[in-house]
Amino acid sequence: MDILLGLQWGDEGKGKIVDVIAPAYQVVARFQGGPNAGHTLHFDGIKHVLHQIPSGVFRPEIKNLIGNGVVLDLVTLQKEITALAQLGVDLHHNLFVSNKASLILPTHRLLDAAQEQAKGEAKIGSTLRGIGPAYTDKVGRNGLRIGDILLPDFKAKYENLKAKHLQWLQFYQFSQDFSEQEAQFFAAIEFIKGYQLVDSEYFINQEISQGRRVLAEGAQGSLLDVDFGSYPYVTSSNTTVAGACTGLGVAPRHVGEVLGIFKAYCTRVGSGPFPTELHDEVGERIRQQGHEFGATTGRPRRTGWLDLPALKYAAMLNGATQLLMMKADVLNDFAELKVCTHYRLPNGTLTDQMPYCLLSTPVEPVYRTFQGWNCPLANLETLADLPPALAEYIAFIEQTVGVPVTLVSYSPDRQHTVRR
Ligand code: GDP
Ligand code: IMO
Ligand code: MG
């Protein structure tokens, strides 16, 4: 099993690359996150955004698995499946959903909104898809799982959990009518029963033992990991490599390549520390040229220069064996580029490591300046075709992080990708 995951704050271009490399695999599996993700695919002039369905879905021969580590919103899933059916993609045979995936209830979304509201200025900037409350119920041993929808006492279990949620909502003095969402939820439950609900740990281990190649598709990014991200401004799952093992039930000895994906610069959506953030016209230019607006919420993404201490940290946590660089084209007409090589700590010392907490230890980025390549990127066949200034930029990243860059992407389209 190879694992592809984001090394920054999400939206690195995971959807595009999973779609590009999927033909080398027989199974693509999501292992964490849920409808907070938005993975964009472009090919043959169409653009498609996937939230919960693995990005191998446009390759008809591939099996797509939603693993046990995912928190699943069935209403969103029904919409996604229906939209794909309209494009001629029928998922009855090649979508598999883990019985152990957690359910997002309509009241989880309300709790997400109530908790964000209660945080006021300190809000996380959640996508408000119910992710935090659903994972809270999972580890708090209150949650409901996909397999429960087939049990005779599902309705009673649902009512029981809903009653708890209503009490918590009362604590937050948050009330909202959700009868329509509840009706959609129960309709979606009937809908999903028409698809393959499986014991996914057996399913995936059988695929592996039969020699099939599995690609685990991460959601969010390493700097949003609940343990290693900029806590508490993180998501509620392990977005790093170990999350793929627990989120699928695959042992570490089956892990092969770890493909770490990053943008040629940085973006972040939602609140929380971002050392290289640009608040000036350069940041605005990156946002406009990179179309940096959220695929799930449409929010403008915060933008900044590439942060190598953060990238090194993420590569270390994941044991990345390859780096994939996205959106090089966005920097095509910048005369100069900056890359953060170190952080200056409040006491003046330089470090290339992540401090315990970027909130209590605000750092100042120390930059190295590079010449831009100042030309369009088109018709590239191999990495040897890259303009020299871009090759130099990449060589510096490889040398600093200690991991080779094996792929460069230069447009949203499937075809505009060069590989080593
Ligand atoms: P994901 O969440 O990691 O799958 O990434 P998103 O889909 O949220 O955001 C990445 C955005 O960048 C999408 O709009 C992609 O179509 C787009 N994109 C991906 N690769 C490239 C690239 O190399 N160049 C440009 N300009 N856009 C890209
Ligand atoms: P993909 O898979 C970028 C961010 C939110 C917020 C924080 C917590 O498309 O890369 P949550 O809804 O999980 O409680 O939000 O995490 N966030 C993402 N940012 N890409 C994502 O997914 C994200 N999923 C969550 O903006 O700051
Ligand atoms: Mg995204």
Side-chain angles (χ1 to χ4, degrees):
M1 178 173 84
D2 294 344
I3 303 173
L4 177 134
L5 41 72
L7 297 180
Q8 294 165 322
W9 285 282
D11 302 328
E12 295 90 351
K14 298 175 289 293
K16 164 171 172 168
I17 293 305
V18 170
D19 172 60
V20 168
I21 66 176
Y25 297 90
Q26 285 83 47
V27 181
V28 177
R30 279 280 306 269
F31 56 89
Q32 46 69 234
N36 49 350
H39 295 182
T40 315
L41 285 67
H42 280 259
F43 55 89
D44 301 341
I46 69 158
K47 171 185 166 184
H48 202 87
V49 181
L50 297 166
H51 298 287
Q52 301 175 112
I53 293 186
S55 303
V57 76
F58 288 103
R59 311 283 190 174
E61 61 287 357
I62 287 178
K63 295 178 181 169
N64 295 278
L65 173 67
I66 298 178
N68 56 280
V70 169
V71 285
L72 196 55
D73 183 325
L74 292 178
V75 177
T76 309
L77 186 65
Q78 178 176 4
K79 285 187 188 142
E80 290 194 76
I81 292 175
T82 308
L84 286 164
Q86 279 161 4
L87 294 174
V89 180
D90 175 26
L91 289 178
H92 282 97
H93 298 293
N94 55 7
L95 178 67
F96 299 83
V97 182
S98 174
N99 278 322
K100 293 195 171 76
S102 295
L103 283 179
I104 298 179
L105 271 47
T107 39
H108 281 135
R109 283 196 177 221
L110 299 189
L111 281 165
D112 213 353
Q115 287 168 358
E116 279 283 79
Q117 201 178 67
K119 284 192 158 100
E121 286 285 291
K123 74 174 180 173
I124 308 294
S126 159
T127 60
L128 301 178
R129 299 299 191 267
I131 305 295
Y135 276 121
T136 303
D137 270 345
K138 173 181 176 175
V139 298
R141 297 160 298 183
N142 289 313
L144 296 177
R145 304 187 294 179
I146 283 286
D148 293 334
I149 67 177
L150 303 173
L151 301 180
D153 61 347
F154 176 69
K155 192 77 203 290
K157 282 185 162 151
Y158 170 82
E159 289 298 336
N160 186 17
L161 184 53
K162 180 174 103 177
K164 278 187 203 165
H165 289 168
L166 292 177
Q167 280 186 350
W168 296 339
L169 286 164
Q170 235 172 32
F171 167 83
Y172 289 111
Q173 299 180 324
F174 191 95
S175 80
Q176 192 176 301
D177 176 51
F178 61 100
S179 43
E180 197 177 314
Q181 287 91 321
E182 205 172 30
Q184 287 176 348
F185 174 72
F186 281 102
I189 283 177
E190 291 315 308
F191 176 85
I192 204 66
K193 286 179 183 167
Y195 290 80
Q196 302 183 74
L197 311 181
V198 297
D199 292 324
S200 55
E201 63 278 36
Y202 282 109
F203 170 88
I204 197 159
N205 280 290
Q206 258 157 29
E207 293 287 329
I208 291 171
S209 66
Q210 287 167 7
R212 305 225 173 80
R213 287 171 56 81
V214 175
L215 178 64
E217 172 182 1
Q220 291 77 59
S222 301
L223 305 177
L224 289 170
D225 182 278
V226 66
D227 282 278
F228 300 109
S230 39
Y231 193 86
Y233 296 96
V234 294
T235 191
S236 297
S237 64
N238 282 117
T239 58
T240 42
V241 77
C245 293
T246 57
L248 293 170
V250 173
R253 72 185 173 94
H254 294 302
V255 176
E257 296 291 316
V258 178
L259 311 172
I261 180 166
F262 70 103
K263 288 183 200 182
Y265 48 93
C266 282
T267 65
R268 174 164 202 171
V269 61
S271 329
F274 181 174
T276 62
E277 182 167 14
L278 294 165
H279 296 283
D280 55 7
E281 64 281 4
V282 179
E284 188 54 36
R285 230 173 115 197
I286 295 177
R287 183 174 307 109
Q288 294 306 329
Q289 289 181 206
H291 302 287
E292 295 296 355
F293 298 89
T296 296
T297 58
R299 291 177 292 177
R301 295 176 182 147
R302 300 157 64 194
T303 54
W305 295 122
L306 186 62
D307 181 337
L308 288 182
L311 192 65
K312 260 204 297 203
Y313 181 64
M316 171 187 81
L317 292 171
N318 291 301
T321 59
Q322 302 182 36
L323 298 178
L324 318 182
M325 188 171 102
M326 308 299 292
K327 304 192 94 161
D329 55 297
V330 172
L331 303 179
N332 279 353
D333 49 15
F334 281 68
E336 273 191 349
L337 307 173
K338 288 186 182 175
V339 173
C340 168
T341 59
H342 292 82
Y343 297 146
R344 181 169 286 113
L345 296 171
N347 69 9
T349 55
L350 293 189
T351 179
D352 63 354
Q353 297 199 350
M354 246 330 151
Y356 162 65
C357 169
L358 283 168
L359 295 165
S360 54
T361 312
V363 296
E364 188 197 318
V366 177
Y367 290 111
R368 175 172 167 150
T369 303
F370 284 80
Q371 286 264 291
W373 41 96
N374 285 297
C375 62
L377 300 176
N379 307 320
L380 304 175
E381 293 283 320
T382 77
L383 287 183
D385 298 334
L386 297 179
L390 175 52
E392 203 175 304
Y393 187 74
I394 290 172
F396 184 73
I397 296 168
E398 290 181 317
Q399 190 192 337
T400 310
V401 181
V403 182
V405 172
T406 59
L407 180 152
V408 175
S409 164
Y410 60 98
S411 105
D413 194 273
R414 207 186 242 181
Q415 306 208 317
H416 297 150
T417 314
V418 271
R419 298 165 77 173
R420 212 195 285 283

